[in-house]
Amino acid sequence: MAVSEALERWSFHSVVRSDRAALYGFDIDSSTNGMSAFPGLLARDARRRAMLEGIERFSLIAWWNGFIGAEPQQTDWPGVNAVSIPGPFGGITAVVWTRTAHGSYAYGYAADESFTSAFERALTEMARNETVLRTWWHLHLSGETKAGGHIFERRCLFFSTDAGHAMFQARLNSKPRNLLHGFDVICDSEIPGPWSDYATVWRFALRPPSRTFLEKREDVFFF
């Protein structure tokens, strides 16, 4: 996974500010949304992963900005809560969260073709985020409380707090206030380059229903 993400970032940084950017929708969404790198002979595996990420990101942005609602789901995991968000092309995004042993909140989200599959993937993401929080907690105990410089890490830390979780809960309890008028695929293509010697990099991106996720704000549930 680490190698695949490194190849994905390589292609992203090589293309996002190049004269090829518009070919892959970076003129509309200049993030890594909907990108996936996957080794193998068949490009379809990379495309499927890219589609799921594109659906996940679109659904999360639409939900947080009040375009669609989330449905509570029962889980068999003690202390783990979950909701499902409907997405384009029949995809389902699962958002999960729990209170950690040190009192903060950890979250995870992922999309798949069923809630069960999305939930399992979201649990993995939650575990990764909990590791970040645990590291920060140890730094806090040692007197080093400086958060990382990346906005996604700062958001993860903000929503782990009582204030951040209260904002998350308020959004869960509110109804959609806008109408979502369909969706627009801005890229569904392989991104060729020197990284292609190692993996297929694909981007499947949808036009974001809002651009707040690109702002340098910590109170945006997108990390």
Side-chain angles (χ1 to χ4, degrees):
M1 182 180 293
V3 172
S4 294
E5 289 186 0
L7 292 171
E8 175 192 312
R9 295 303 190 272
W10 179 15
S11 63
F12 169 72
H13 289 295
S14 297
V15 176
V16 67
R17 292 183 178 85
S18 72
D19 55 5
R20 295 197 294 156
L23 293 175
Y24 307 108
F26 291 118
D27 55 328
I28 298 172
D29 179 355
S30 58
S31 73
T32 59
N33 285 347
M35 291 187 67
S36 176
F38 194 78
L41 297 176
L42 301 177
R44 67 186 183 192
D45 293 324
R47 182 176 183 265
R48 179 181 181 276
R49 289 172 177 250
M51 284 189 69
L52 291 175
E53 178 170 309
I55 291 169
E56 167 202 308
R57 301 303 175 89
F58 178 89
S59 300
L60 197 70
I61 294 168
W63 168 70
W64 184 251
N65 287 275
F67 290 99
I68 52 179
E71 187 72 23
Q73 300 288 339
Q74 295 290 329
T75 80
D76 295 328
W77 288 65
V80 175
N81 305 279
V83 295
S84 61
I85 304 172
F89 306 105
I92 298 292
T93 295
V95 180
V96 303
W97 68 97
T98 190
R99 187 153 195 172
T100 69
H102 51 266
S104 65
Y105 295 90
Y107 307 83
Y109 46 80
D112 215 309
E113 292 148 4
S114 69
F115 172 76
T116 300
S117 297
F119 175 76
E120 291 174 353
R121 295 181 59 213
L123 284 175
T124 301
E125 289 300 310
M126 186 178 71
R128 294 172 67 183
N129 286 331
E130 188 171 0
T131 299
V132 172
L133 294 174
R134 187 166 58 248
T135 300
W136 181 86
W137 183 251
H138 289 315
L139 291 174
H140 175 69
L141 291 177
S142 64
E144 302 177 44
T145 57
K146 184 182 295 184
H150 197 284
I151 185 60
F152 283 7
E153 183 174 337
R154 298 203 305 272
R155 288 175 181 173
C156 181
L157 291 174
F158 171 73
F159 282 100
S160 74
T161 66
D162 289 339
H165 189 66
M167 182 178 290
F168 173 78
Q169 287 289 345
R171 179 64 196 91
L172 280 179
N173 295 329
S174 62
K175 294 182 179 180
R177 58 184 182 275
N178 300 306
L179 293 177
L180 187 62
H181 300 288
F183 47 86
D184 178 23
V185 178
I186 61 174
C187 180
D188 183 10
S189 173
E190 179 182 357
I191 304 179
W195 44 85
S196 301
D197 291 340
Y198 311 101
T200 298
V201 175
W202 200 281
R203 190 180 199 211
F204 183 91
L206 296 147
R207 186 183 300 274
S210 169
R211 298 181 64 81
T212 55
F213 75 98
L214 292 172
E215 298 175 4
K216 301 300 182 182
R217 293 168 46 189
E218 296 180 1
D219 61 345
V220 177
F221 191 81
F222 188 91
F223 43 85

